[in-house]
Amino acid sequence: GTASARAAAVLSPGLLAVIDRSARSLSVDVRLVHAVMAAESGFDAAARSPVGAIGLMQLMPLTARALGVDPHQPEQNVEGGVRYLAQLLRQFADVNTALIAYNAGPGYAQRYRQRQVPLYGETRAYLARVQSLLAH
């Protein structure tokens, strides 16, 4: 089913409320947050990536520190991840470029937008996955 249906099925009501509140207060589509979370961690608060990204929204430690959140605390991880996504949506004014930035970093997204680098495998697959989750 949709990322939102999966989120409702696997996340606690408290965490769903944090997602909803954060998305609404920052004017981010809650479906986009659910899709990013599904693609990033599969809704797993204990998820760790090979490069060190943490939790539901797969925050990198430096990003979490810059956002002033503890990425190991699910509520803070979500709140920080939604805030970071909102920043990227404002910065790039385009959902796809913001998603590329969320996955591969703003510097890479900027270079991609200026046609200096191609969209490489992992990020291309990530973008396709989020788009697919949003389309259903």
Side-chain angles (χ1 to χ4, degrees):
T2 67
S4 293
R6 284 209 25 240
V10 299
L11 298 176
S12 71
L15 208 47
L16 286 167
V18 170
I19 295 167
D20 212 49
R21 190 167 56 245
S22 297
R24 211 180 11 251
S25 73
L26 294 161
S27 302
V28 177
D29 182 349
V30 73
R31 294 172 321 124
L32 180 62
V33 176
H34 290 155
V36 166
M37 197 177 287
E40 287 289 347
S41 71
F43 303 109
D44 181 3
R48 297 290 178 274
S49 83
V51 294
I54 298 164
L56 298 168
M57 297 292 283
Q58 288 290 280
L59 293 178
M60 291 298 285
L62 279 174
T63 303
R65 196 170 309 133
L67 291 162
V69 297
D70 177 351
H72 299 281
Q73 299 293 326
E75 289 82 7
Q76 289 188 44
N77 185 292
V78 165
E79 193 275 323
V82 175
R83 199 150 27 97
Y84 185 48
L85 188 56
Q87 285 173 14
L88 296 171
L89 288 163
R90 274 197 309 276
Q91 180 180 345
F92 291 102
D94 168 73
V95 173
N96 288 340
T97 313
L99 288 168
I100 291 166
Y102 193 96
N103 181 259
Y108 177 84
Q110 193 66 51
R111 291 191 301 278
Y112 171 72
R113 189 157 73 173
Q114 293 164 349
R115 293 178 167 55
Q116 295 168 354
V117 292
L119 197 55
Y120 62 85
E122 189 227 333
T123 300
R124 181 187 295 130
Y126 171 81
L127 184 59
R129 176 146 165 65
V130 175
Q131 288 170 335
S132 159
L133 287 162
L134 278 172
H136 294 98

